Amino acid sequence: MNIEIVSGSPRKESTTFRLAIFLQEQLQQKTPHDVGILDVREWNFPTLQEEVYSSEQKTPDHYKPLARRMFAADAFILLTPEYNGSYTPPLKNLFDHFPKQLHKPFGIVTASTGSLGGIRAALQLQLLICALFGIPSPYMLITPQVDKKFDASGNLVDLSFTNAVNSFISEFLWLAERLKTPELVRVD
């Protein structure tokens, strides 16, 4: 399975990106799946003024590497800091350039240097995922004081957060693997 962690922070010195690095490492250690990070800072998208890229072939050449990964993704983890009670505009803009993500599983991860961990952004992401026709994992990873939980290299320094991370990964993978393997999904 191809899992893409979409790191939605546009800030040059993003503390949220530390969490993306950590999640990628954890998923690579615990699963045989391919896990990449799509960093919105690497893709200079204008506000959507163009046509939605309906296939890799119909994507402008400079976005083809991104399109290849978007179309190949079996599951996404959306990671964002909270911006004014919501997720970041670059994260939304990225998905606006591609077709709906029909039946794909999504994990929700938010981060904040404050004590609420981006909970309002997480709730807004649920709405976005449904608008994309994706399936949100009900277990979200809300990360308060992200700057104190992870060092600059993405290492977890607050070990009390380990159980929350493990529960998120376990629940996300349960959903993603069942959706990827249709015979595991029971329809009566």
Side-chain angles (χ1 to χ4, degrees), residues 82-116:
E82 186 170 288
Y83 273 36
N84 297 320
S86 190
Y87 46 81
T88 63
L91 185 141
K92 171 89 164 52
N93 195 29
L94 183 142
F95 279 92
D96 285 346
H97 281 80
F98 293 94
K100 303 285 187 185
Q101 301 296 324
L102 187 65
H103 300 151
K104 289 187 182 180
F106 282 80
I108 295 173
V109 181
T110 59
S112 170
T113 55
S115 61
L116 297 179

Side-chain angles (χ1 to χ4, degrees), residues 1-6 33 72-78 95 101-108 129-130 132-138 168 171-181:
M1 183 166 39
N2 291 320
I3 300 170
E4 292 290 354
I5 299 169
V6 181
H33 307 306
D74 298 302
F76 292 98
I77 294 174
L78 303 184
F95 279 92
Q101 301 296 324
L102 187 65
H103 300 151
K104 289 187 182 180
F106 282 80
I108 295 173
I129 293 165
C130 290
L132 293 171
F133 300 144
I135 301 171
S137 176
F168 167 78
E171 293 298 319
F172 170 74
L173 289 173
W174 180 89
L175 176 66
E177 289 168 352
R178 270 146 190 85
L179 290 174
K180 183 67 179 159
T181 312

Side-chain angles (χ1 to χ4, degrees), residues 35-135:
V35 183
I37 297 175
L38 289 175
D39 186 348
V40 298
R41 297 174 297 180
E42 295 177 5
W43 304 100
N44 187 22
F45 276 117
T47 301
L48 186 60
Q49 299 170 357
E50 304 172 34
E51 207 173 298
V52 171
Y53 308 143
S54 59
S55 70
E56 184 182 335
Q57 295 74 25
K58 293 181 181 181
T59 302
D61 287 342
H62 56 286
Y63 292 133
K64 282 192 190 291
L66 173 62
R68 190 171 304 115
R69 291 176 64 184
M70 289 293 288
F71 286 108
D74 298 302
F76 292 98
I77 294 174
L78 303 184
L79 169 59
T80 186
E82 186 170 288
Y83 273 36
N84 297 320
S86 190
Y87 46 81
T88 63
L91 185 141
K92 171 89 164 52
N93 195 29
L94 183 142
F95 279 92
D96 285 346
H97 281 80
F98 293 94
K100 303 285 187 185
Q101 301 296 324
L102 187 65
H103 300 151
K104 289 187 182 180
F106 282 80
I108 295 173
V109 181
T110 59
S112 170
T113 55
S115 61
L116 297 179
I119 186 67
R120 294 178 299 175
L123 297 174
Q124 294 295 317
L125 281 175
Q126 288 177 319
L127 297 173
L128 173 63
I129 293 165
C130 290
L132 293 171
F133 300 144
I135 301 171

